[in-house]
Amino acid sequence: ARQSHRYGKGHILENVADVITALEGVNLPPHARVLDVATGGGHTGLHLASLGHEVTLSDLTDAMLARAGELAASRGLDVKTVRHSAEAMPHASASFDLVTCRVAPHHFSAPDKFVREVARVLVSGGHFMLIDGTAFDDEPEAEEWSHNLEKLRDPSHNRFLTPRTWKKLCEDAGLTVLKCGVYSKKQPDLEWYFDTAATPPANREAVRELIASAAGRTRDLFKIAVEDGKIVWWWPMLALVARK
């Protein structure tokens, strides 16, 4: 909530090209009922609202929902906002044609409960789109490095899950995975990354040390480098689409 002002207009997630790509081939009905979970600045949900869909934005904090609502109003979009956690949704079963969640699940304390709730609120034939940072399958050292770095940068971080783990969670909840692809997203400026989470000074220094001491395999996987005096790297990102 304290950082909600950083997630609105101008945030890196305002670019929804990844959402457009992920949803290619997903045939939504006209005026589809959409739930955007952990909406943050609302960018994913507002994109879908701009296409004429009936969108509900949900988040854990009133501050985030207020910011997303303000952005919706500034764009002339009519959306509904509801405060709830990702693991316990107050919506009736079979309420939505599409559930989306973007760059948030790594904060969730119980991803398995979240996916089961997604499956519950989806109509038969409905779709689930998940985009989030991920960990490499079969690369435990790199996974541990990224976990330690993210936990220092933002204590609300829980864990990046591997593509294999997300697929199993979906399958266990009765969802059929249609797409499960990994792509790289450049993290252009470590200092911006710190400011977004209000990382304490001591933790910032610890993160810098982790980056400096990253082993060869980890350094290669994340493409750690210095460009124009700024530390940059490439996070692996998961784009998953499943159908109920």
Side-chain angles (χ1 to χ4, degrees):
R2 289 191 301 270
Q3 295 301 104
S4 63
H5 63 286
R6 292 191 174 275
Y7 286 81
K9 190 172 179 60
H11 190 274
I12 192 170
L13 294 180
E14 193 172 27
N15 182 340
V16 294
D18 54 347
V19 176
I20 294 169
T21 298
L23 290 178
E24 285 178 356
V26 174
N27 295 317
L28 295 174
H31 311 296
R33 297 165 296 169
V34 178
L35 173 65
D36 187 34
V37 179
T39 194
H43 305 296
T44 301
L46 297 187
H47 163 67
L48 290 162
S50 74
L51 301 178
H53 299 305
E54 299 173 8
V55 175
T56 298
L57 307 178
S58 73
D59 204 275
L60 193 59
T61 75
D62 289 323
M64 282 292 195
L65 291 174
R67 296 284 181 178
E70 291 168 3
L71 187 57
S74 73
R75 293 173 57 180
L77 297 172
D78 184 21
V79 297
K80 181 180 180 181
T81 60
V82 182
R83 182 169 65 85
H84 62 74
S85 73
E87 298 88 353
M89 304 181 190
H91 311 292
S93 299
S95 294
F96 298 98
D97 302 295
L98 172 66
V99 176
T100 61
C101 192
R102 179 176 176 234
V103 193
H106 60 277
H107 294 290
F108 298 166
S109 59
D112 56 336
K113 292 181 180 179
F114 159 61
V115 177
R116 287 200 298 270
E117 278 291 85
V118 168
R120 182 184 66 81
V121 302
L122 277 174
V123 300
S124 179
H127 289 83
F128 170 42
M129 184 210 78
L130 178 144
I131 295 174
D132 198 21
T134 189
F136 296 100
D137 282 319
D138 304 316
E139 293 285 355
E141 290 184 9
E143 191 275 339
E144 187 67 17
W145 178 86
S146 69
H147 173 71
N148 291 335
L149 185 151
E150 280 298 282
K151 199 68 177 176
L152 283 166
R153 186 190 71 87
D154 181 0
S156 71
H157 174 77
N158 185 44
R159 199 99 197 180
F160 286 135
L161 302 184
T162 66
R164 188 181 299 148
T165 301
W166 277 119
K167 287 180 72 174
K168 186 174 189 307
L169 290 178
C170 288
E171 291 163 356
D172 288 349
L175 301 175
T176 300
V177 176
L178 305 177
K179 299 179 183 179
C180 187
V182 176
Y183 63 97
S184 294
K185 187 178 184 69
K186 190 175 186 179
Q187 193 58 254
D189 183 359
L190 181 60
E191 299 305 316
W192 174 89
Y193 210 42
F194 285 150
D195 291 343
T196 299
T199 309
N203 287 28
R204 296 185 186 209
E205 187 56 35
V207 167
R208 293 188 187 98
E209 291 175 5
L210 268 177
I211 292 171
S213 62
R217 177 66 174 163
T218 297
R219 185 169 293 275
D220 290 344
L221 284 170
F222 290 96
K223 303 176 188 175
I224 299 169
V226 177
E227 296 178 1
D228 299 323
K230 296 179 179 180
I231 296 172
V232 301
W233 67 88
W234 295 73
W235 277 130
M237 300 292 295
L238 174 71
L240 179 148
V241 175
R243 183 178 60 224
K244 181 174 178 181

